[in-house]
Amino acid sequence: MDALAGLLEGPRARGAFMIRACFDPPWAVRIEDRAPLTVMVMARGEAWIVPDTGERVLLRPGDLAIARGPAPYTCADAPDTPPQALILPGGKCRYPDGRSLNGVMDLGVRTWGDRADGAAVMLIGTYLWQGEVGGRLLDALPPLLTLTAEVWDCPLTPFLREEIVRDEPGQEVVLDRLLDLLVIAALRAWFSRPEAAAPAWYRALADPVVGRVLRLVQDDPAHPWTVASLAAKAGVSRAALARRFTELVGEPPMTYLTGWRLALAADALRDTDDTLEAIARRVGYGSAFALSSAFKRVHGVSPQEHRARGT
């Protein structure tokens, strides 16, 4: 598994919320849905994204933005336009005074807003859950990142524009996979930019010692690694590895290994029907009991509770 693949394998949409939002000015929508990740592609016109904290950004045709939840933000034709709609968790939509807006602005298949041929058209995909491997990705992202059309020319965008309004058998699965590909392509482009603030462990992959250790852990989490065995593979002493790893990654090697194993376990619990025993063996725990104890200590819930929340 290469470094970027390890970081990006988290996005796996299941029944993601996808919509084509169409508006005529003045318009503004307040987003308070607490979604972990939302992707916005400007298909026509312009839109401001105004977070509660941080800099506001202007999206033009072809630009893309990714908002990391759960912080709220506003999308509008101008930064000072007051919100006309409020998006809440669970797909609820209300007027600012609290009245329900569900169904009022529906314009057809996955199309919402003032009119289908509005001056501003935005393609929006929202992940409704947060996986633990995906959690490492979310930790690596700023609250709001953008890619302009000048540096972001993705062939998936025209395809998404066509597919998002189709009502075909299996269309939800098609859109889920399209959203995953769009996110991965966008983040790959973003991480390649010098100004991208990649996480410490990702930057540490360039180090000849720590990078080798990280790859060993990521590629074979089930191996009974110790600081001594990792140090031997890296050709340094245990003390040197512990010191250098902690300095570059921000946590000791075995702490990182535990987090990686539990992240993989969390994803397997969410995405498969494998038994806890099988998952435990696959991620490096000797028994289901050992995995369950570590999982609850770190995440505050049992593996069974975590699996139930993801269904």
Side-chain angles (χ1 to χ4, degrees):
M1 178 188 299
D2 68 56
L4 194 58
L7 185 63
L8 298 181
E9 72 168 359
R12 288 191 296 278
R14 294 191 305 177
F17 178 75
M18 301 285 290
I19 200 166
R20 179 176 178 266
C22 312
F23 298 104
D24 289 320
W27 64 272
V29 179
R30 171 77 172 171
I31 313 297
E32 296 183 0
D33 60 2
R34 301 189 64 81
L37 200 70
T38 298
V39 184
M40 295 161 276
V41 180
M42 208 68 213
R44 180 193 303 152
E46 297 182 347
W48 284 92
I49 302 178
V50 185
D52 284 9
T53 58
E55 295 185 8
R56 60 197 184 192
V57 298
L58 175 63
L59 295 185
R60 297 183 173 88
D63 293 355
L64 173 143
I66 296 181
R68 171 174 59 83
Y73 54 94
T74 300
C75 295
D77 69 305
D80 57 352
T81 301
Q84 300 151 352
L86 181 64
I87 308 299
L88 300 170
K92 295 180 180 179
C93 185
R94 301 188 184 280
Y95 288 104
D97 63 9
R99 291 176 296 138
S100 175
L101 237 176
N102 286 86
V104 175
M105 300 177 73
D106 290 351
L107 299 172
V109 177
R110 300 184 195 88
T111 303
W112 185 82
D114 297 325
R115 61 185 178 94
D117 195 31
V121 177
M122 184 182 291
L123 310 178
I124 302 170
T126 300
Y127 288 83
L128 304 177
W129 45 263
Q130 179 177 335
E132 294 302 322
V133 172
R136 285 185 179 267
L137 172 59
L138 294 175
D139 290 342
L141 301 179
L144 181 66
L145 70 85
T146 58
L147 290 169
T148 64
E150 287 74 22
V151 300
W152 161 253
D153 183 17
C154 182
L156 294 170
T157 302
F159 192 36
L160 178 62
R161 187 184 298 118
E162 294 178 4
E163 291 292 327
I164 200 169
V165 294
R166 290 196 180 194
D167 190 15
E168 305 276 346
Q171 192 66 13
E172 185 176 276
V173 176
V174 171
L175 291 173
D176 280 351
R177 298 293 74 78
L178 264 178
L179 178 58
D180 291 343
L181 288 171
L182 185 68
V183 170
I184 291 170
L187 294 180
R188 187 167 59 182
W190 186 75
F191 274 116
S192 69
R193 304 176 67 189
E195 63 270 30
W201 67 263
Y202 183 83
R203 297 193 302 271
L205 284 158
D207 183 82
V209 172
V210 177
R212 176 164 173 73
V213 170
L214 284 168
R215 290 183 179 88
L216 288 168
V217 167
Q218 291 180 351
D219 289 347
D220 192 5
H223 187 84
W225 296 113
T226 63
V227 175
S229 64
L230 289 169
K233 289 283 188 180
V236 297
S237 69
R238 287 179 294 175
L241 173 61
R243 182 174 59 253
R244 190 168 185 82
F245 194 101
T246 303
E247 177 186 333
L248 295 181
V249 178
E251 59 186 355
M254 302 314 289
T255 302
Y256 177 86
L257 174 60
T258 297
W260 180 246
R261 285 171 168 169
L262 294 179
L264 293 173
D267 261 14
L269 288 164
R270 185 195 65 217
D271 296 333
T272 75
D273 294 324
D274 294 348
T275 66
L276 188 59
E277 187 73 30
I279 294 172
R281 301 288 183 184
R282 190 159 69 244
V283 301
Y285 284 88
S287 67
F289 177 79
L291 171 59
S292 183
S293 297
F295 197 96
K296 189 165 186 177
R297 183 174 63 252
V298 171
H299 295 287
V301 297
S302 70
Q304 292 81 0
E305 290 172 314
H306 174 84
R307 173 169 268 170
R309 290 178 180 182
T311 58

